[in-house]
Amino acid sequence: MISKKGKEYFIIGLIRLATYLVVAIVGYILFDIFIKGFPILNWEFISGFPRRSGAEGGILPAIVGTICLVTGAISFAFPLGMASAIYLNEYAQQGRFKQIIRLAISTLAGVPSIVFGLFGLGLFVLFFGFGASILSGSLTLAFMILPTIIVSSEEALRAVPTALREGSLALGASKWQTIARNVLPYALPGMFTGSILGIGRAAGETAPILLTVAAFYLPRLPRSIFDQVMALPYHLYVLATQHPEAEKVLPMQYGTALVLILLVILFNLSAIILRNQFRKKIQW
Amino acid sequence: MVSTNVKMGMRAVDFYYGESQALFDVSIAIPEKRVTALIGPSGCGKSTFLRMFNRMNDIIDGTHHTGEVMIDKESIYQNNNNLAELRKKVGMVFQKSNPFPKSIFENVAYGPKIHGIKEQTQLQEIVENSLKAAALWDEVKDRLTTNAITLSGGQQQRLCIARALAVEPEILLMDEPASALDPKSTTRIENLIGELQKHYTIIIVTHNMQQAARVSNYTAFFYEGHLVEFDETKKIFTKPEKQQTEDYITGRFG
């Protein structure tokens, strides 16, 4: 018979082990990519154009493409998500209609990314006639990250105490004045946090851009939002599975993966800095 | 009974939160530039009654009422466009002080700005006068730009009073304004109420019998959504008409 205390230690140990395992897996992936990707990382790789269908040269068009797509997706999704969250949390009355909207949002969150890709192909590429373009890809990604942004924006709004709304309304402020001056400024940092998560996802997704924007091999920079572009995740996919010399271009794959990860970290970091800047200004 | 002008009142008001009724057939006439205290056990409808006068109950989903609520002989629920005007006229101080996480200056200037005052010198004047009227000016005049969150509890509550005064109301609704404060801060708030009644009609919800006796001219006793008795404070506390009132005041229930 194990003592009560022994059992306790055993359980805690098990739980702790599970946590360490997660960290270890993440650590291993990052370590592996860093070690194998780092040697190839040089100025030419980052700022050069690919040659021989990506077997040589750099990945600049893919970097620029991903930055365009992420920026585009965020600039569509953030205002839209913010507005939806404001409507849901501040204006919509409790009831059946609100439940249906919430159900729709959580369903949207569960839609597989390839379905988003097909949806984008059908709606933006073909129906609206945007073609395979940055615009189509950004819009598709925007819809994909919308649920994340809505949910975290709503949470941020809920975190603002009701007392602040009441205090403002009691002074004769209208509902919109109250939201704009005494709710939104305090909720914005939380909303940024949500977008951080969205950005990470948008940058890494392959399936939605596969059908709406990504070029297999396009060694030049985009000139307008109606251009096709290369993108890092898709380029990685091409190098790993579609390239005739997949084994030989292994270092290029690791380099691309590393750049993608660094780019996501960079996006997240700048969003975190922006958020902290806001926090400092608010001083709860 | 009431010797001065009537400022505000209710006629046969029933109020409901969804299905449950919170006020039953309440009629009252509240005198101008006097302090009226609302007493009664928790959940008796005091706060609901108070929030009828600036229509703060409107923001809760699923509430409705019948009967008439009047200020200056006008029914305030008739016209939906004048909500801002109404709330400008009827200031409110909440139980838990709710300073905005902005500077002291911005807190007081919030209301005037909402109502369209932009000029900085005018705002400065309003802020100074309001803080003086709330007996807070001397303590904060050198740090108007610091965040209001850094003030003590008592100071925060006086800031909220200053913020309410800044839009030049005629009526002040106070929902247990001193219940979360220490005795010294409570005394300051009570003295302040004494000063303010010269210019404002004040209704104050309180759980503290002594406080009601100290600060008010009139007292209304609520019980389970009914207005049981309303009279001059000294009468309520010495010779109440109703047995229920006497039982509550002497601490036999509630």
Side-chain angles (χ1 to χ4, degrees):
Chain A
M1 191 68 194
I2 315 164
S3 71
K4 203 170 164 187
K5 207 163 185 181
K7 206 168 160 187
E8 177 100 356
Y9 277 127
F10 179 71
I11 298 281
I12 293 175
L14 218 61
I15 294 169
R16 188 175 287 172
L17 201 69
T19 314
Y20 291 164
L21 192 69
V22 172
V23 176
I25 292 168
V26 174
Y28 173 74
I29 294 173
L30 286 179
F31 181 77
D32 187 52
I33 292 173
F34 263 87
I35 290 295
K36 292 178 180 153
F38 202 71
I40 199 167
L41 206 62
N42 56 35
W43 186 240
E44 207 230 319
F45 185 69
I46 292 171
S47 67
F49 289 85
R51 293 188 305 273
R52 289 188 49 229
S53 37
E56 284 172 17
I59 54 166
L60 182 68
I63 296 174
V64 172
T66 290
I67 290 174
C68 287
L69 289 173
V70 168
T71 317
I74 276 295
S75 29
F76 287 121
F78 192 65
L80 206 60
M82 192 164 91
S84 314
I86 291 172
Y87 173 72
L88 281 174
N89 202 57
E90 308 291 328
Y91 287 99
Q93 299 230 334
Q94 286 300 344
R96 173 69 38 104
F97 184 60
K98 198 166 162 180
Q99 280 177 345
I100 292 172
I101 298 178
R102 282 200 201 289
L103 187 69
I105 292 167
S106 46
T107 308
L108 199 63
V111 171
S113 54
I114 186 69
V115 177
F116 275 106
L118 283 167
F119 162 76
L121 175 70
L123 188 68
F124 304 123
V125 177
L126 302 174
F127 184 75
F128 285 133
F130 297 151
S133 63
I134 295 176
L135 186 62
S136 299
S138 296
L139 285 167
T140 309
L141 286 174
F143 276 98
M144 202 188 69
I145 62 175
L146 205 49
T148 319
I149 292 177
I150 293 174
V151 169
S152 53
S153 294
E154 258 200 287
E155 261 161 38
L157 287 170
R158 264 199 296 274
V160 177
T162 317
L164 294 186
R165 293 181 182 86
E166 288 196 337
S168 172
L169 291 171
L171 287 167
S174 69
K175 201 155 185 176
W176 172 246
Q177 282 174 321
T178 298
I179 293 167
R181 297 180 191 212
N182 218 25
V183 177
L184 220 46
Y186 315 130
L188 271 177
M191 293 178 162
F192 277 127
T193 319
S195 318
I196 292 172
L197 299 170
I199 285 174
R201 244 194 110 187
E205 276 293 345
T206 316
I209 57 172
L210 180 73
L211 303 165
T212 54
V213 53
F216 189 82
Y217 181 67
L218 188 70
R220 62 172 173 80
L221 296 181
R223 281 181 289 258
S224 84
I225 54 167
F226 294 104
D227 266 8
Q228 261 194 302
V229 280
M230 294 177 76
L232 288 169
Y234 183 60
H235 186 58
L236 191 59
Y237 165 76
V238 169
L239 288 182
T241 62
Q242 309 294 305
H243 203 274
E245 299 163 285
E247 279 302 307
K248 265 197 195 155
V249 296
L250 206 59
M252 299 296 278
Q253 292 171 30
Y254 272 104
T256 308
L258 181 58
V259 169
L260 179 57
I261 286 174
L262 289 176
L263 202 64
V264 171
I265 291 173
L266 193 76
F267 270 122
N268 288 4
L269 221 55
S270 48
I272 288 167
I273 290 167
L274 212 59
R275 185 186 65 187
N276 290 347
Q277 217 66 27
F278 262 107
R279 283 237 176 100
K280 236 183 272 161
K281 237 171 69 189
I282 293 171
Q283 271 188 24
W284 272 102
Chain B
M1 177 185 83
V2 174
S3 53
T4 48
N5 291 332
V6 171
K7 180 68 179 171
M8 55 215 275
M10 279 188 193
R11 196 151 46 211
V13 167
D14 290 329
F15 182 86
Y16 304 84
Y17 291 103
E19 297 289 299
S20 86
Q21 190 167 358
L23 292 177
F24 297 83
D25 192 26
V26 175
S27 295
I28 195 169
I30 291 170
E32 188 172 26
K33 290 185 183 166
R34 293 288 184 275
V35 179
T36 301
L38 310 178
I39 59 171
S42 298
C44 68
K46 305 181 300 275
S47 291
T48 306
F49 171 83
L50 190 73
R51 292 161 67 101
M52 289 302 285
F53 288 108
N54 64 345
R55 298 187 56 170
M56 283 302 275
N57 289 326
D58 290 16
I59 63 176
I60 303 165
D61 284 352
T63 59
H64 72 281
H65 77 282
T66 58
E68 226 177 346
V69 185
M70 283 154 307
I71 293 176
D72 293 331
K73 298 190 177 74
E74 276 179 50
S75 180
I76 58 170
Y77 282 85
Q78 296 287 324
N79 190 343
N80 276 320
N81 301 325
N82 277 341
L83 207 53
E85 274 307 304
L86 171 72
R87 288 179 179 157
K88 187 171 179 291
K89 191 168 168 179
V90 187
M92 186 165 202
V93 178
F94 296 83
Q95 180 177 3
K96 196 175 168 300
S97 64
N98 57 348
F100 304 150
K102 305 176 188 290
S103 72
I104 293 169
F105 184 93
E106 286 301 326
N107 262 274
V108 184
Y110 187 89
K113 279 185 177 176
I114 289 284
H115 295 290
I117 295 173
K118 290 194 184 80
E119 209 189 315
Q120 199 62 22
T121 49
Q122 201 183 348
L123 285 172
Q124 270 160 1
E125 201 178 314
I126 292 170
V127 170
E128 182 173 341
N129 290 338
S130 306
L131 286 169
K132 277 178 178 163
L136 187 61
W137 174 252
D138 289 334
E139 291 159 61
V140 301
K141 63 183 176 198
D142 299 322
R143 48 178 180 136
L144 291 176
T145 54
T146 50
N147 197 297
I149 303 295
T150 60
L151 296 173
S152 74
Q155 288 174 324
Q156 286 189 7
Q157 197 55 299
R158 275 179 285 146
L159 178 70
C160 292
I161 293 172
R163 192 173 67 193
L165 297 180
V167 294
E168 299 177 334
E170 295 168 20
I171 297 161
L172 274 183
L173 310 174
M174 297 180 148
D175 194 353
E176 300 185 48
S179 66
L181 302 179
D182 60 80
K184 205 174 155 205
S185 303
T186 302
T187 308
R188 299 199 66 157
I189 299 275
E190 285 180 9
N191 292 340
L192 180 57
I193 292 170
E195 280 300 309
L196 292 173
Q197 77 158 99
K198 292 173 190 162
H199 309 285
Y200 305 95
T201 305
I202 297 172
I203 308 182
I204 177 172
V205 172
T206 179
H207 269 290
N208 181 329
M209 291 304 121
Q210 285 78 29
Q211 185 172 66
R214 277 195 302 267
V215 303
S216 70
N217 312 105
Y218 295 88
T219 297
F221 170 60
F222 282 83
Y223 187 66
E224 291 184 342
H226 298 271
L227 174 59
V228 176
E229 194 167 350
F230 174 55
D231 212 323
E232 287 185 44
T233 299
K234 55 175 182 284
K235 179 128 190 294
I236 293 272
F237 278 87
T238 52
K239 263 194 300 180
E241 304 260 327
K242 303 266 170 61
Q243 187 61 39
Q244 259 183 329
T245 315
E246 188 172 343
D247 287 352
Y248 182 70
I249 285 163
T250 52
R252 251 170 279 174
F253 77 93

